[in-house]
Amino acid sequence: MIRISAIDVFPLRLPMKQSFRISQGTVGTISAGAPHIYVRITGDNGVEGWGEARPSPRWSYETPESVCSAVSNYMRPALLGQRADDLAGIHRMMNRELAGSLHPGQPIAKAAVDTALHDLIARSYGLPVAALWQTGSSHPVRLSYLISTDSPEEAARKAREAVAEGYTGVDVKIGLNPANDLDIVAAVKQEAPKLFFRVDANQAYRLTQAIQLAKGLERIGVDVLEQPLLANQLHGHAELRRKVSIPIALDESVWSPSGVLEALRSEACDIIVIKLTKMGGLRGAKLCGEIARESGLGLLGGGLTESKLGLVASAHLFRYLELTDPVDLNGPMFLKDDAVEGDWPIRSGEVILPEGPGIGCRISESKLQDYAADAT
Ligand SMILES: [Mg+2]
């Protein structure tokens, strides 16, 4: 039995090499960097586990300040002294301290704690984190190349880069300027006709616009349209599905196993986007993925531009779930550095997973200091 003896929170501001926008606005810039919070949990056996939260207030309501407060002021008092290897019990306690309403309360903060505990438990056993799930999967984890611009010329240039760098999929963010979305998508298709093609609207459309958009995307040859309507519009997405044939994926609409079931009952999507952060960590994301798969839904993987720590944790899960289409783990495309030692574990658009114990990332104490930020 391993008990939790310390929980430490490290708010960071990581440097970016390119700014990143979605339809709701900017989520990180070269001048200001991006907020990431690392969480370290130490067991009474002396082993440390690490997890990451990457709040994006333009994507959902959590902020760097709310993550630090949630972990330091609510979870830490409840979890110190508890069994680190009782993940079901830990999640019950976290959900009691920060209750959910329409969806689980503060899932990004809980994800950092959940990930750190998976790391701690697996390290204590001397095993890679995926061994906790009794899997022998060696499925490749391929990445999509993310394109976020309102210029068709820039989109075409990035699509050429994606092909040249060996990526097998692209993800185009639309809704930044809806008037030229189809021009951007067509420019990418022309330069990368064979790549898996995912288009993510991040809730930018209303139903009548989305029907027109989806028909245009079908003509161009897009493989999936993600979250065209507001997160709470399951019936709108169901109506859209009845009118068009392009597969519809839900991301911001689905945060939990009950959300997967509600989307299924509403016939609102063909595909669920699995993300460790929004689903409260590896445990919730794994459960959502398994329920969706057993129910006949497709799965796509994604992230919120986490640094290498969150990226590798997600990649372990996506390998376990054997996701076939390229996943959105795009932190390295935007971040200049993070607090993990070593190079980016990516070659030709594929994540090279570490084989060491736990998640497999070593954290640099000096970089934690270099990138320390105030989040009070
Ligand atoms: Mg998305």
Side-chain angles (χ1 to χ4, degrees):
M1 189 192 304
I2 309 157
R3 292 204 178 268
I4 297 172
S5 59
I7 300 177
D8 298 293
V9 181
F10 300 87
L12 308 174
R13 179 70 56 170
L14 295 180
M16 297 190 83
K17 57 188 175 196
Q18 59 171 310
S19 298
F20 181 34
R21 274 195 304 155
I22 61 174
S23 66
Q24 311 294 327
T26 300
V27 296
T29 63
I30 293 175
S31 55
H36 295 246
I37 291 98
Y38 280 27
V39 171
R40 179 178 63 199
I41 301 185
T42 310
D44 60 2
N45 57 355
V47 176
E48 294 177 351
W50 289 86
E52 177 183 358
R54 191 335 188 175
S56 300
R58 290 275 169 76
W59 190 86
S60 74
Y61 60 84
E62 289 183 81
T63 65
E65 295 82 7
S66 77
V67 167
C68 290
S69 167
V71 178
S72 298
N73 300 332
Y74 294 82
M75 296 177 204
R76 178 161 51 202
L79 301 185
L80 284 178
Q82 302 294 338
R83 279 186 65 169
D85 51 352
D86 177 14
L87 283 166
I90 292 285
H91 276 277
R92 260 196 309 276
M93 286 179 228
M94 289 201 289
N95 292 336
R96 187 185 61 208
E97 297 303 314
L98 284 167
S101 57
L102 286 176
H103 55 65
Q106 313 275 9
I108 295 176
K110 289 170 182 168
V113 171
D114 167 283
T115 310
L117 285 173
H118 276 83
D119 193 32
L120 167 59
I121 297 163
R123 281 179 192 275
S124 297
Y125 297 164
L127 296 169
V129 72
L132 300 178
W133 307 322
Q134 308 284 299
T135 176
S137 173
S138 58
H139 195 78
V141 180
R142 297 191 320 256
L143 300 179
S144 61
Y145 191 96
L146 203 145
I147 298 174
S148 173
T149 173
D150 57 6
S151 151
E153 294 74 28
E154 170 86 352
R157 188 178 65 72
K158 297 229 169 206
R160 286 194 292 276
E161 277 178 21
V163 173
E165 292 181 25
Y167 281 77
T168 52
V170 285
D171 178 10
V172 178
K173 295 284 185 189
I174 60 167
L176 282 70
N177 175 6
N180 69 355
D181 277 345
L182 288 179
D183 292 340
I184 286 171
V185 171
V188 172
K189 185 70 179 179
Q190 189 169 3
E191 299 296 336
K194 293 187 181 148
L195 269 51
F196 176 78
F197 202 144
R198 173 175 176 178
V199 164
D200 188 357
N202 291 112
Q203 315 182 61
Y205 283 83
R206 299 297 170 265
L207 180 58
T208 48
Q209 300 171 299
I211 293 168
Q212 294 307 312
L213 170 80
K215 288 179 176 168
L217 297 178
E218 282 171 9
R219 281 196 297 276
I220 294 168
V222 169
D223 293 299
V224 55
L225 170 58
E226 180 175 330
Q227 198 70 49
L229 308 177
L230 290 172
N232 61 4
Q233 292 187 351
L234 287 185
H235 291 292
H237 284 98
E239 180 71 13
L240 176 64
R241 275 186 77 226
R242 284 192 284 273
K243 294 216 157 49
V244 300
S245 58
I246 184 171
I248 303 295
L250 289 182
D251 183 3
E252 288 96 320
S253 293
V254 177
W255 296 69
S256 62
S258 63
V260 175
L261 294 172
E262 199 55 40
L264 197 68
R265 267 188 224 110
S266 307
E267 301 184 352
C269 68
D270 304 279
I271 296 162
I272 299 282
V273 178
I274 304 297
K275 278 183 185 164
L276 198 145
T277 42
K278 70 173 179 177
M279 291 165 168
L282 288 160
R283 189 168 188 277
K286 174 172 172 284
L287 192 52
C288 288
E290 288 173 333
I291 292 171
R293 165 159 297 154
E294 293 299 320
S295 306
L297 292 170
L299 300 180
L300 278 174
L304 294 175
T305 63
E306 293 87 352
S307 74
K308 189 161 55 178
L309 177 59
L311 181 151
V312 172
S314 299
H316 281 294
L317 179 67
F318 296 160
R319 175 191 271 178
Y320 165 80
L321 291 171
E322 303 195 334
L323 300 190
T324 48
D325 296 320
V327 300
D328 254 6
L329 294 173
N330 304 107
M333 288 182 62
F334 298 97
L335 290 172
K336 203 187 277 179
D337 195 12
D338 64 15
V340 177
E341 291 182 352
D343 294 329
W344 292 115
I346 290 168
R347 266 171 240 132
S348 302
E350 185 175 328
V351 181
I352 309 303
L353 278 164
E355 291 175 0
I359 292 167
C361 291
R362 277 192 301 131
I363 307 302
S364 162
E365 295 285 339
S366 64
K367 286 185 176 180
L368 286 178
Q369 288 178 11
D370 292 346
Y371 300 131
D374 184 24
T376 52

